[in-house]
Amino acid sequence: MAAGFFISKTLGLVSVILCLGALATIIALSVVYAQEKNRNATSALSSANPAPTAAPATTAAPATTAAPANPWNKMRLPQSLLPESYVVTLQPFLTKDASGLYIFKGNSAVTFSCQEATDLILIHSKKLNYTQQNGFLISLEGVDGSSPPPIAKTWLEAPTQYLVVQLSGQLEKGKKYKLLSDFVGELADDLAGFYRSEYVDEGVTRYGKRVDCLGGKVKGDLQQGLGLPACVNCCLFVILQGDPNTARNVRPVLPSPSWTAHAYAMSVILVAKMLFTNPVTPNDQLRIFSVQGGGWVRALPWGAILLTWPVPLPDQVGLPDFNAGAMENWGLVTYRENSLLYDPLFSSIGNKERVVTVIAHELAHQWFGNLVTLRWWNDLWLNEGFASYVEYLGADSAEPSWNIKDLIVQSEMYRVMKIDALASSHPLSFQENEINTPAQISEVFDAIAYSKGASVLRMLSNFLTEEIFKRGLQSYLHTFSYGNTVYDDLWVHLQKAVDDAKLQLPTTIKGIMERWTLQMGFPVVTVNTRNGSITQKHFLLDPESVVNRSSVFNYVWIVPVTWMTGQGGALTTYWLEETSATEPSFTIPAGAANWLLLNINVTGYFRVNYDPENWDKLLTQLDTSHQAIPVINRAQIIDDTFNLARAKYIDIGLALNTTRYLSKELEYLPWSAALDNLAYFRLMFDRSEVYGPMQSGWLALGYNEINAISTACSYGIRECWTLATALFNQWKTNSSNNPIIPNLRSSIYCSAIKTGSEEDWDFAWQMFQKATVVAEADKLRAALACSQETWILRRYLQYSLDPTKIRKQDAVSTINSIASNVVGQSLAWDFIRGNWKTLFEQYGGGSFSFSNLILAVTQRFSSEFELKQLEQFKVDNADVGFGSGTRALEQALEKTKANIKWVAENKKAVLTWFERESG
């Protein structure tokens, strides 16, 4: 990526951005929701109408309330109507109307066929006013000689977000019709649907307009004067240059010869005046657009190599305001700027990794999600899990020297295991009837779908071999291209590949994989090397928690167990199919060099426990010659032991002892595993007497540069604080010359503000406001939360809800940063409780990050007092609701209860261990 990625910082002014997809009368199946999840759609008519009500000279019919059995009171659309094409025309206004609102006007025409005779049309509609046509909100025409019955009544059904059309007769099966509407809505700045964005460029405030794109397996025609063909997953982006006040009635047409129109393979249009360099090499294929300029990025070849099904490679655009990380629209992929733009003068290696993996993730969606779309949100994990797995393979093919494939274990698997070990977790696949409302759909976009999905698919690819996995995927994509599927379809095609290769498995692919997709959680596999016995059990962080979700498999998995011994030999896979078994090969003779290690390179999604003698042998091996154990498994030993100790399988001292060898460790992954797990100790004890010995205990250890600075400064090592202060002061004396290298800026900024004065905070705030590169702005915004002054943190919390100071897309992450500060945690909790209604109204309906808000502010909770506060918070806000954070709240309650138990049982032992080590 470094060689092929170019961003020019010299390019000019962008003022209006439009993406047409989820506006007026867009076609989709059931609940329409505008963000990264707007993806599947097949067989019913709907309209995603995002903008709040604002309508001169229009009328919105009053909502009605009817019996729950009526179709308009159900969240899923009936199957009686099938959309075939749509036409949408938009007219945004770039100056406020008489009521002080930015508005847009539009109209739509939807052609659909009648699959079953019906006298009812349901269209999703939210916060739009309709211009009445002959006394109704819409009009209806015949197509190809058909004659529709008269409209009897139209109304808006607010609870289910429907525009309801009641006819006086039946639409005929097999006939086609056209539905027409005119509407007005507010062009709000709420980051949902069709929204307004403002940013400053060269001292001038400019305005952007964007509509979140909605996927749908239907044809569409964008009426913007370019005469383009029909499209699937239509998105229209228009970028205007110049003063927005000179373009008061902007239609999506070319207003002057100075504009350039680019037509994409899927009829996605970008209209812009931007400069581009020619590609550096033939491999530099993907164009980049942003308000900071454009460039080229090297296409990631893994997808096309693996899937052998070419799809049009899209352009990429970075948007100043975007709620999700990125969205895989065909033709033009949209990104937050920090997920697309890289500048070596400001961006760290972590920023570079983020850019390359997100681009790879979105390109993977061109196959899984765009070429083949799942039927409903209950199987979302297959879309997001696949992309989250392939992003590592794509990034590895682009930058093989990074060894980025190994990071999936630490970044995805271990991260999600902490959630999947809760009794409040959920399976990868839901029943369709479990996912209905927009909030329920938002909740599905969680770590389980992304990270567990990726981990399980990685396990599947490993035990099948990549070649068989590839053949099955190719067959699946060829069969269902431009169509819709359920997860079972993938198992069928993988099974065919297995049968063709004559690979021996304990049962069918479906039989193996449904254990991992239809029941939540994962097993802990325990082996006794004295007699070769091996068992599995549902792993729960709190073994006393009650699992209320039943499983037809009784929480027993079919587990592929790879293994090796200290004596070497070929790697072998053992299949554990029952709760217990005996494998003679797992009986290990006495002797320090004779040890057993399961789950080699952590390809399996499970934890491993051993008898005490084998644990002792593994720790001895780490101490004497740790390189004899694969690097990923050295991280595994650390991560497994800490989590086994939390679940009371082993003593906490054994887990802590796995860190003793780290002074000899030069690899990143084992250190990352240790620091991640000790971060939990810090959360539990940084308000207690244990924290002092914990700080001292780290002085004897050595780490790589980034981890060293970050850990030393965060634990208050004086030498680190002195270094940070000196570098920060040097920058203050000459703000145009920053002496801090990008890799260390996050740690140095935070430490300097933590130990600094109000003047230091104000300087950082000024530099944040002036920052033109988003990577730099993000580092400063997070560091500003490191202050130890409560009044500064309270003020910063207020800033988070002021979009003139903190962009709306960054509000939740800013509050989370303050909550991660031990001084700011209680302030953030009080702030959230006091402003819950506001936060919920702005972010609770569909923000992916909203659930993180609840989890971040409660991550230190470990006392009965805090538990009671959290329970009371749930009661006090039941009327407001928790939206996409509902499951996160239940997880926070469960984690708090587990933390209370763990601290009570382990505080003394942890204190003793660190006192001994620091002494």
Side-chain angles (χ1 to χ4, degrees), residues 309-530:
W309 182 274
V311 299
L313 289 175
D315 280 351
Q316 327 286 308
V317 62
L319 303 177
D321 292 294
F322 193 54
N323 214 356
M327 176 62 207
E328 63 272 13
N329 313 297
W330 261 351
L332 188 64
V333 181
T334 52
Y335 297 82
R336 279 199 187 195
E337 291 178 330
N338 64 6
S339 299
L340 179 67
L341 307 182
Y342 172 77
D343 186 325
L345 297 179
F346 296 93
S347 303
S348 67
I349 186 66
N351 296 135
K352 180 187 281 190
E353 179 195 330
R354 167 73 177 170
V355 166
V356 71
T357 54
V358 172
I359 291 175
H361 182 105
E362 302 311 319
L363 293 184
H365 273 313
Q366 305 305 305
W367 290 270
F368 262 75
N370 291 358
L371 184 67
V372 176
T373 303
L374 291 162
R375 187 173 73 188
W376 189 241
W377 307 101
N378 61 305
D379 287 336
L380 174 81
W381 74 270
L382 194 52
N383 262 16
E384 297 303 343
F386 180 84
S388 297
Y389 172 41
V390 169
E391 72 182 57
Y392 289 89
L393 304 181
D396 183 70
S397 68
E399 296 291 348
S401 64
W402 289 7
N403 296 320
I404 202 168
K405 282 197 296 186
D406 295 346
L407 293 181
I408 192 173
V409 174
Q410 190 66 34
S411 300
E412 308 295 337
M413 184 182 297
Y414 287 156
R415 178 176 80 99
V416 73
M417 277 182 158
K418 292 176 174 60
I419 298 169
D420 208 19
L422 299 174
S424 55
S425 186
H426 64 84
L428 281 169
S429 283
F430 293 89
Q431 297 296 317
E432 281 197 20
N433 59 14
E434 291 184 86
I435 309 299
N436 293 294
T437 68
Q440 289 170 339
I441 292 170
S442 292
E443 280 192 314
V444 177
F445 284 78
D446 63 1
I448 299 294
Y450 285 76
S451 299
K452 182 178 182 178
S455 302
V456 167
L457 289 172
R458 174 175 175 264
M459 177 176 69
L460 172 62
S461 176
N462 185 263
F463 72 70
L464 290 182
T465 72
E466 186 172 289
E467 182 59 31
I468 294 175
F469 186 59
K470 176 177 68 175
R471 287 196 216 123
L473 290 178
Q474 291 169 349
S475 174
Y476 169 80
L477 291 170
H478 286 208
T479 301
F480 296 105
S481 59
Y482 306 103
N484 296 83
T485 65
V486 295
Y487 75 90
D488 262 355
D489 296 324
L490 179 59
W491 304 154
V492 169
H493 287 266
L494 287 172
Q495 187 64 50
K496 184 178 183 299
V498 167
D499 294 342
D500 290 345
K502 296 180 171 54
L503 177 67
Q504 295 298 310
L505 296 173
T507 185
T508 63
I509 292 290
K510 179 182 174 71
I512 295 170
M513 295 308 297
E514 284 193 341
R515 304 289 183 109
W516 298 95
T517 61
L518 299 185
Q519 57 184 358
M520 70 181 190
F522 57 90
V524 52
V525 173
T526 300
V527 64
N528 188 329
T529 60
R530 291 169 295 185

Side-chain angles (χ1 to χ4, degrees), residues 513-745:
M513 295 308 297
E514 284 193 341
R515 304 289 183 109
W516 298 95
T517 61
L518 299 185
Q519 57 184 358
M520 70 181 190
F522 57 90
V524 52
V525 173
T526 300
V527 64
N528 188 329
T529 60
R530 291 169 295 185
N531 56 24
S533 67
I534 183 170
T535 63
Q536 62 164 295
K537 184 180 180 181
H538 184 191
F539 181 81
L540 294 167
L541 277 178
D542 180 1
E544 298 173 3
S545 59
V546 178
V547 177
N548 293 317
R549 182 184 282 268
S550 62
S551 166
V552 295
F553 305 111
N554 296 314
Y555 291 100
V556 176
W557 290 262
I558 298 177
V559 188
V561 183
T562 54
W563 58 282
M564 64 180 287
T565 69
Q567 303 305 311
L571 297 182
T572 308
T573 299
Y574 169 81
W575 287 93
L576 179 60
E577 302 178 59
E578 305 294 339
T579 55
S580 63
T582 300
E583 170 53 48
S585 300
F586 295 162
T587 302
I588 305 298
N594 295 322
W595 42 260
L596 177 69
L597 185 68
L598 302 188
N599 201 11
I600 306 308
N601 291 324
V602 197
T603 55
Y605 184 70
F606 56 91
R607 294 205 180 275
V608 180
N609 187 24
Y610 305 97
D611 56 280
E613 289 83 356
N614 198 66
W615 277 123
D616 289 342
K617 293 176 183 179
L618 289 171
L619 264 62
T620 299
Q621 184 67 64
L622 287 175
D623 191 53
T624 55
S625 180
H626 60 274
Q627 294 91 341
I629 297 174
V631 62
I632 302 181
N633 289 98
R634 302 202 295 269
Q636 173 209 24
I637 288 171
I638 295 170
D639 200 83
D640 276 356
T641 53
F642 273 91
N643 284 276
L644 289 167
R646 285 182 65 181
K648 302 181 184 179
Y649 282 88
I650 62 174
D651 183 74
I652 190 64
L654 172 59
L656 288 165
N657 288 342
T658 63
T659 66
R660 282 178 166 162
Y661 93 98
L662 286 173
S663 58
K664 308 169 188 176
E665 180 63 78
L666 301 179
E667 294 288 344
Y668 169 80
L669 284 173
W671 268 107
S672 180
L675 294 173
D676 283 355
N677 281 283
L678 286 166
Y680 174 74
F681 283 57
R682 181 176 179 176
L683 290 172
M684 294 301 98
F685 298 128
D686 63 3
R687 297 174 289 174
S688 76
E689 70 275 16
V690 179
Y691 191 56
M694 278 186 66
Q695 289 176 296
S696 302
W698 282 100
L699 285 172
L701 301 177
Y703 352 82
N704 65 61
E705 180 187 50
I706 299 175
N707 278 342
I709 297 295
S710 175
T711 303
C713 283
S714 66
Y715 276 89
I717 306 303
R718 186 171 301 278
E719 292 82 357
C720 189
W721 281 4
T722 301
L723 171 66
T725 300
L727 289 171
F728 194 77
N729 286 338
Q730 186 178 342
W731 185 30
K732 283 174 62 181
T733 60
N734 183 3
S735 62
S736 63
N737 182 20
N738 191 336
I740 309 166
I741 63 173
N743 280 345
L744 301 183
R745 286 182 183 177

Side-chain angles (χ1 to χ4, degrees), residues 146-408:
S146 67
S147 180
I151 299 172
K153 185 180 180 182
T154 60
W155 72 91
L156 296 172
E157 193 65 36
T160 48
Q161 301 177 6
Y162 283 135
L163 187 161
V164 184
V165 181
Q166 182 68 62
L167 305 174
S168 60
Q170 298 275 315
L171 296 170
E172 294 182 57
K173 181 178 179 178
K175 295 294 182 69
K176 295 182 180 181
Y177 305 90
K178 182 180 292 186
L179 184 147
L180 305 167
S181 66
D182 292 275
F183 46 82
V184 177
E186 183 188 352
L187 203 57
D189 60 353
D190 55 3
L191 305 183
F194 193 14
Y195 65 86
R196 186 181 80 255
S197 172
E198 299 180 8
Y199 59 94
V200 176
D201 182 31
E202 297 182 359
V204 179
T205 299
R206 304 195 179 277
Y207 301 83
K209 315 289 183 292
R210 184 183 185 280
V211 177
D212 287 309
C213 292
L214 172 67
K217 298 302 185 187
V218 295
K219 297 178 180 179
D221 196 13
L222 300 176
Q223 297 295 330
Q224 26 60 4
L226 296 180
L228 292 167
C231 70
V232 179
N233 284 6
C234 295
C235 292
L236 170 64
F237 285 80
V238 180
I239 299 181
L240 307 178
Q241 292 210 356
D243 186 343
N245 292 320
T246 65
R248 296 188 177 183
N249 301 319
V250 179
R251 293 180 180 273
V253 296
L254 297 181
S256 74
S258 66
W259 285 37
T260 304
H262 303 282
Y264 295 95
M266 288 299 155
S267 300
V268 180
I269 295 70
L270 179 66
V271 184
K273 186 177 181 181
M274 283 189 168
L275 303 177
F276 284 90
T277 60
N278 290 323
V280 179
T281 73
N283 289 328
D284 297 328
Q285 300 173 25
L286 306 181
R287 290 188 299 183
I288 304 295
F289 293 85
S290 80
V291 299
Q292 298 181 39
W296 293 84
V297 59
R298 187 165 66 238
L300 305 179
W302 186 88
I305 292 171
L306 177 66
L307 303 175
T308 65
W309 182 274
V311 299
L313 289 175
D315 280 351
Q316 327 286 308
V317 62
L319 303 177
D321 292 294
F322 193 54
N323 214 356
M327 176 62 207
E328 63 272 13
N329 313 297
W330 261 351
L332 188 64
V333 181
T334 52
Y335 297 82
R336 279 199 187 195
E337 291 178 330
N338 64 6
S339 299
L340 179 67
L341 307 182
Y342 172 77
D343 186 325
L345 297 179
F346 296 93
S347 303
S348 67
I349 186 66
N351 296 135
K352 180 187 281 190
E353 179 195 330
R354 167 73 177 170
V355 166
V356 71
T357 54
V358 172
I359 291 175
H361 182 105
E362 302 311 319
L363 293 184
H365 273 313
Q366 305 305 305
W367 290 270
F368 262 75
N370 291 358
L371 184 67
V372 176
T373 303
L374 291 162
R375 187 173 73 188
W376 189 241
W377 307 101
N378 61 305
D379 287 336
L380 174 81
W381 74 270
L382 194 52
N383 262 16
E384 297 303 343
F386 180 84
S388 297
Y389 172 41
V390 169
E391 72 182 57
Y392 289 89
L393 304 181
D396 183 70
S397 68
E399 296 291 348
S401 64
W402 289 7
N403 296 320
I404 202 168
K405 282 197 296 186
D406 295 346
L407 293 181
I408 192 173

Side-chain angles (χ1 to χ4, degrees), residues 665-835:
E665 180 63 78
L666 301 179
E667 294 288 344
Y668 169 80
L669 284 173
W671 268 107
S672 180
L675 294 173
D676 283 355
N677 281 283
L678 286 166
Y680 174 74
F681 283 57
R682 181 176 179 176
L683 290 172
M684 294 301 98
F685 298 128
D686 63 3
R687 297 174 289 174
S688 76
E689 70 275 16
V690 179
Y691 191 56
M694 278 186 66
Q695 289 176 296
S696 302
W698 282 100
L699 285 172
L701 301 177
Y703 352 82
N704 65 61
E705 180 187 50
I706 299 175
N707 278 342
I709 297 295
S710 175
T711 303
C713 283
S714 66
Y715 276 89
I717 306 303
R718 186 171 301 278
E719 292 82 357
C720 189
W721 281 4
T722 301
L723 171 66
T725 300
L727 289 171
F728 194 77
N729 286 338
Q730 186 178 342
W731 185 30
K732 283 174 62 181
T733 60
N734 183 3
S735 62
S736 63
N737 182 20
N738 191 336
I740 309 166
I741 63 173
N743 280 345
L744 301 183
R745 286 182 183 177
S746 291
S747 298
I748 296 298
Y749 291 170
C750 180
S751 179
I753 291 171
K754 182 176 183 178
T755 60
S757 62
E758 179 186 356
E759 178 188 345
D760 293 320
W761 197 96
D762 290 342
F763 171 77
W765 175 253
Q766 292 168 9
M767 300 310 295
F768 164 71
Q769 292 180 305
K770 294 177 181 178
T772 58
V773 176
V774 68
E776 178 72 359
D778 284 348
K779 293 178 179 67
L780 286 163
R781 181 170 54 81
L784 288 163
C786 297
S787 174
Q788 302 297 286
E789 293 290 342
T790 56
W791 72 269
I792 288 179
L793 294 175
R794 284 197 179 98
R795 183 182 65 181
Y796 197 28
L797 284 165
Q798 293 297 328
Y799 284 3
S800 70
L801 295 186
D802 182 350
T804 66
K805 292 182 171 64
I806 302 293
R807 301 192 83 91
K808 280 194 171 184
Q809 67 176 12
D810 298 322
V812 169
S813 63
T814 300
I815 298 170
N816 292 348
S817 294
I818 296 170
S820 68
N821 179 345
V822 64
V823 176
Q825 186 269 325
S826 61
L827 304 177
W829 174 230
D830 291 343
F831 179 78
I832 286 173
R833 287 187 294 171
N835 293 276

